[in-house]
Amino acid sequence: MSNKKSISPVSFFHSRFTSVISIALVLFLLGLILLMGMLGNKLSIYVKENMSFSIVLKDGLKDTEVKRMQKNLEALPYIKSTEYISKEQAAAELEDELGENPETFLGFNPLQASIEVKLHSQYANPDSLRLIEDKIKSYTSVSELLYRKDMMELVQNNMERIGIILLSLAAVLMVISFVLISNTIRLLIYSKRFLIHTMQLIGATAGFIRAPFIRYNVVSGILAAILAICMLTGALYYLQSELAGFIQILDIPTLLIVYGAVFVLGILLSVIATALSVNKYLRMSFDKLYYV
């Protein structure tokens, strides 16, 4: 007597739906970690490139000398931008902060002209800045260099810690996601273990047996990836509505990288998990199929 039963469309849809939802949730979590990593990197670049230091100039410099120095600075590979601040502009900015012009009670302007410099993010760290400081101080028109070394070190250390934490979370989540996806797919293949054995008996190769299972689960992986991408987009939309300007830190290429990674992972993890699950039953003897 045969125990073989045909699979109803309802059962097929239910198994596909369960598989897609399970994989999509895992891919959504992976996508969030990737998004956080990308966001942390963008935020690091944004903070570093907006941290400036001041080159205090000696008194008596002519405008042509200042412009020449600015041009020379901007030609350096590590400098992103420069801004000249005259003695008068510095006094006006100080007046805005203190509410009183220093010339009023001192009788003269004690401030010096300066050039505000912003670095490219890869050079905005204490080690590089020490070399840059030596280079800039070699200019005869420079009086001194002012910057918040402690702030730069704090930003650098915090970004390194965040990177390590996110990388660790991504590695752990990748392992967990593979186990969950593998278990989901293994349950789907479990009901087909006797069919796999029958195909082996009639001479079907391992590749021939694996092919339909891989095709089936690749489709599930693609559907799950699309669903996960939609969930990520919804999460980003929600964050943008709650935190104005949040989405501006992320650009379209970054989002496409995250979405592309989720899509590829959906297919790749499904293929690997399917191949491993089918291989398990390909190596199993007929007697053991009743006890797994």
Side-chain angles (χ1 to χ4, degrees):
M1 182 180 292
S2 173
N3 291 326
K4 184 177 179 181
K5 295 181 181 179
S6 61
I7 300 176
S8 68
V10 175
S11 299
F12 176 82
F13 175 79
H14 184 265
S15 63
R16 169 79 81 180
F17 179 78
T18 304
S19 173
V20 168
I21 293 298
S22 301
I23 298 171
L25 289 174
V26 173
L27 292 175
F28 173 68
L29 291 176
L30 277 174
L32 279 181
I33 294 295
L34 287 172
L35 204 56
M36 287 171 62
M38 291 287 188
L39 182 61
N41 184 55
K42 288 287 182 182
L43 190 59
S44 172
I45 292 173
Y46 177 82
V47 170
K48 287 180 177 181
E49 291 191 344
N50 282 277
M51 290 178 64
S52 61
F53 63 89
S54 298
I55 301 174
V56 181
L57 303 176
K58 292 179 180 178
D59 290 329
L61 288 178
K62 297 178 181 178
D63 289 343
T64 54
E65 293 177 299
V66 173
K67 288 180 180 178
R68 189 187 310 118
M69 184 177 178
Q70 267 191 283
K71 187 176 180 180
N72 291 336
L73 288 171
E74 289 174 353
L76 296 173
Y78 40 79
I79 290 181
K80 181 185 177 186
S81 64
T82 64
E83 180 186 1
Y84 174 65
I85 299 176
S86 64
K87 290 167 64 76
E88 294 75 18
Q89 185 180 344
E93 290 178 359
L94 187 61
E95 183 179 3
D96 289 339
E97 293 180 10
L98 302 179
E100 189 172 359
N101 194 311
E103 291 187 65
T104 304
F105 55 88
L106 291 177
F108 67 96
N109 185 355
L111 303 176
Q112 293 174 271
S114 64
I115 297 177
E116 293 290 316
V117 175
K118 291 181 180 178
L119 301 173
H120 289 291
S121 59
Q122 60 267 38
Y123 297 102
N125 58 74
D127 294 335
S128 297
L129 202 53
R130 279 192 288 270
L131 299 175
I132 295 170
E133 184 179 3
D134 293 337
K135 171 70 175 176
I136 292 176
K137 281 185 175 180
S138 66
Y139 289 95
T140 56
S141 53
V142 174
S143 174
E144 60 179 322
L145 200 67
L146 301 177
Y147 66 94
R148 291 288 306 275
K149 182 179 179 181
D150 56 337
M151 181 65 73
M152 287 195 171
E153 288 179 347
L154 181 64
V155 170
Q156 180 75 13
N157 293 335
N158 285 342
M159 290 305 172
E160 287 177 357
R161 290 194 194 99
I162 291 171
I164 292 171
I165 292 171
L166 287 177
L167 191 61
S168 301
L169 281 175
V172 171
L173 193 57
M174 184 69 75
V175 173
I176 294 173
S177 65
F178 179 76
V179 171
L180 290 175
I181 291 174
S182 181
N183 287 338
T184 300
I185 292 174
R186 187 173 294 176
L187 287 173
L188 293 174
I189 297 174
Y190 175 78
S191 60
K192 304 288 185 180
R193 64 194 187 281
F194 290 107
L195 176 61
I196 291 172
H197 182 73
T198 301
M199 293 174 73
Q200 281 183 297
L201 291 177
I202 61 175
T205 64
F208 182 84
I209 295 172
R210 277 193 296 265
F213 292 102
I214 289 176
R215 283 197 297 270
Y216 177 89
N217 287 300
V218 162
V219 173
S220 295
I222 291 173
L223 293 175
I226 293 171
L227 181 57
I229 288 170
C230 292
M231 292 165 67
L232 284 171
T233 304
L236 286 174
Y237 180 80
Y238 173 77
L239 287 173
Q240 172 63 13
S241 64
E242 294 294 319
L243 303 171
F246 167 81
I247 202 68
Q248 295 176 5
I249 301 175
L250 293 171
D251 51 18
I252 297 300
T254 301
L255 289 176
L256 290 178
I257 289 172
V258 174
Y259 289 167
V262 169
F263 190 82
V264 170
L265 283 172
I267 297 173
L268 190 61
L269 292 176
S270 297
V271 169
I272 294 173
T274 302
L276 291 176
S277 298
V278 174
N279 287 345
K280 174 186 175 181
Y281 295 114
L282 287 174
R283 292 191 298 265
M284 196 173 290
S285 64
F286 180 74
D287 293 336
K288 290 184 178 179
L289 292 176
Y290 290 95
Y291 301 103
V292 293

